Amino acid sequence: YTLESDLSGYVVYCPCMGRFGNQADHFLGVLAFSKGINRTLILPPWVEYRYGESKSIQIPFDTYFKVDILSEYHRVVTMETFMKDVAPDVWPRNKRISFCYTQRIGEIENNCNAKSGNPFGPFWDTFNIEFVGSEFYGPLNYDAHNNIMMEKWRKKYPYNKWPVLAFTGAPASFPVQKENLMLHRYLHWNDEVMGKARTFIKNNMSGGGFVGIHLRNGQDWMKACRHVKDSPTLFAAPQCVGYKNERGPLTMSMCLPEESEIIKQIKRTLRKLNDTKYVFVASDSNHMITTLNNALQRLEVKVVKLGITDPHLDLAVLGQANYFIGNCVSSYSAFVKRERDARGLPSEFWSFPHR
Ligand code: GFB
């Protein structure tokens, strides 16, 4: 990236919805959108929530991912670099306008209220950004694959008048549009994350392949899965049942498989593969280590997990597995599935396809 100001302008947004998996879905959409309207994408920090803390914290984008690979697809710059080196020239304080589709309820009437609430306020505060006004961009939308729509954005918001389009939330859909799934191939873990993943694998799973599984089973998830019946495209479910539910139905055991189903499916998978010595479990709550070790004893595989809680390292290790079993409904699982698809590695889901 060169520090010369970019003459086609910039896009920035707050990843203000959901946790990592949701934010990653949005990210791919915004990447396509920025390219569609031909503006450099400012890579925002990831918004994270720490237990017991009331405000979100912002983790620089490149803490986890490589920036140079993304720029093979489109011009990008981290928000830290942009604010330090570029904003003083191209984004004067009196041009800091927040973008939203239509007004957001908050302190000021008829405004985006881009900084109302958490994580909205803490996000922009990280960079001392105050907005002097709002712009409602509706009825324009962010379907990057609609050329006419992209042309409308470029016409309505020329760079000289609007150097930076600062979105209150991600200008992208959730779950990620089908057309953008493969953009995941430009999203690579950085050397630090990959190094940790490889070290873990070397130290804990040497001498044979491993099946990686994602068990999403915490309290929040049990509650969310109650909606399976009335929302057939719940969260990331379209990755299995299709965006129009054409490969449905969505069942409870796809969202929250029972112990017996999990064991059965792992055994079936292990029989299909040769030279598998380990099962690596990633989970937000119950890893089922003892249960699985007992159930798989006769197959001579060992069940392992990380010694620490580290959602990104779990994802990176799952990406390296010889085979992956994930959760249809979870966007966290969806991240792994996309990464593996982009690299031609095999995956399946709990209780899907229907047998
Ligand atoms: O990533 P995420 O949006 O996926 O949110 P879902 C789930 C979060 O839970 C992750 C943790 O970002 C992690 O912090 N988590 C989940 C895990 N699985 C694992 C795991 O295997 N290992 C570790 N270390 N952490 C949706 C939310 O979650 O759940 C929705 O995004 C909503 O907004 C819904 O709250 C109930 O799509 O699974």
Side-chain angles (χ1 to χ4, degrees):
Y1 184 78
T2 66
L3 299 182
E4 287 158 40
S5 57
D6 184 333
L7 285 179
S8 50
Y10 298 82
V11 166
V12 68
Y13 70 100
C14 172
C16 274
M17 192 190 105
R19 286 177 283 169
F20 181 76
N22 283 201
Q23 293 176 36
D25 265 53
H26 276 147
F27 174 73
L28 297 183
V30 186
L31 185 61
F33 172 70
S34 312
K35 190 171 170 100
I37 62 171
N38 191 27
R39 279 171 175 264
T40 299
L41 174 59
I42 298 170
L43 303 170
W46 302 95
V47 170
E48 298 188 2
Y49 304 88
R50 294 281 188 269
Y51 183 76
E53 278 174 41
S54 60
K55 284 185 179 173
S56 67
I57 57 169
Q58 279 58 240
I59 306 293
F61 188 92
D62 56 4
T63 306
Y64 306 126
F65 298 103
K66 285 185 181 165
V67 172
D68 54 337
I69 309 275
L70 280 168
S71 36
E72 288 172 17
Y73 175 73
H74 186 55
R75 303 183 306 279
V76 295
V77 55
T78 65
M79 192 155 178
E80 290 75 17
T81 301
F82 176 81
M83 290 309 294
K84 187 165 138 286
D85 299 336
V86 188
D89 291 330
V90 311
W91 205 27
R93 288 174 193 274
N94 64 357
K95 287 216 167 172
R96 299 191 175 173
I97 311 278
S98 63
F99 274 61
C100 51
Y101 187 82
T102 168
Q103 66 166 309
R104 255 183 91 241
I105 306 303
E107 286 126 58
I108 314 166
E109 224 174 291
N110 211 26
N111 196 284
C112 291
N113 288 298
K115 294 184 65 173
S116 286
N118 190 42
F120 299 89
F123 177 82
W124 302 105
D125 277 342
T126 305
F127 302 94
N128 297 312
I129 293 168
E130 301 291 342
F131 293 106
V132 296
S134 293
E135 169 72 8
F136 306 136
Y137 63 79
L140 298 192
N141 68 44
Y142 30 71
D143 179 2
H145 304 278
N146 177 342
N147 290 334
I148 295 167
M149 183 54 71
M150 294 301 102
E151 184 58 33
K152 282 187 185 161
W153 279 95
R154 291 194 294 261
K155 283 241 165 69
K156 186 161 181 198
Y157 300 111
Y159 164 73
N160 46 5
K161 191 149 177 260
W162 307 89
V164 178
L165 309 187
F167 289 89
T168 306
S173 50
F174 178 82
V176 56
Q177 262 180 291
K178 200 194 278 171
E179 292 83 354
N180 297 332
L181 288 171
M182 278 320 242
L183 291 185
H184 203 115
R185 49 185 250 255
Y186 298 99
L187 192 56
H188 288 205
W189 296 109
N190 67 16
D191 293 339
E192 198 186 328
V193 177
M194 275 318 293
K196 281 196 222 162
R198 294 210 170 97
T199 303
F200 176 83
I201 293 167
K202 201 171 93 204
N203 292 345
N204 299 278
M205 298 190 282
S206 62
F210 72 99
V211 172
I213 68 172
H214 178 215
L215 298 180
R216 184 78 166 92
N217 51 22
Q219 288 285 335
D220 64 332
W221 197 249
M222 292 183 187
K223 235 170 152 184
C225 289
R226 286 192 216 139
H227 299 289
V228 156
K229 270 219 185 74
D230 34 276
S231 5
T233 53
L234 185 66
F235 303 133
Q239 67 178 328
C240 291
V241 302
Y243 283 76
K244 298 195 177 94
N245 197 19
E246 68 274 17
R247 298 194 299 268
L250 181 65
T251 63
M252 184 52 106
S253 68
M254 288 158 74
C255 194
L256 198 64
E258 279 175 28
E259 234 170 66
S260 59
E261 290 168 315
I262 292 169
I263 292 168
K264 222 190 306 170
Q265 193 164 340
I266 297 175
K267 282 186 176 167
R268 204 190 307 132
T269 303
L270 289 171
R271 267 184 239 115
K272 216 160 52 176
L273 307 169
N274 293 323
D275 195 33
T276 307
K277 293 230 164 58
Y278 303 92
V279 172
F280 172 78
V281 186
S283 178
D284 56 310
S285 179
N286 178 6
H287 291 77
M288 293 176 54
I289 298 292
T290 312
T291 311
L292 292 177
N293 261 325
N294 289 339
L296 303 175
Q297 217 167 23
R298 291 232 316 266
L299 293 170
E300 293 182 359
V301 297
K302 190 176 164 211
V303 185
V304 299
K305 68 177 181 86
L306 296 184
I308 46 163
T309 299
D310 186 337
H312 303 90
L313 187 52
D314 263 345
L315 288 171
V317 174
L318 291 173
Q320 297 301 307
N322 299 79
Y323 199 87
F324 170 62
I325 310 177
N327 187 306
C328 284
V329 188
S330 168
S331 61
Y332 184 91
S333 269
F335 185 98
V336 181
K337 173 66 163 51
R338 282 194 308 266
E339 178 189 321
R340 296 176 60 86
D341 282 354
R343 290 168 42 217
L345 299 172
S347 308
E348 68 179 45
F349 295 95
W350 300 117
S351 303
F352 187 86
H354 303 290
R355 305 168 63 83

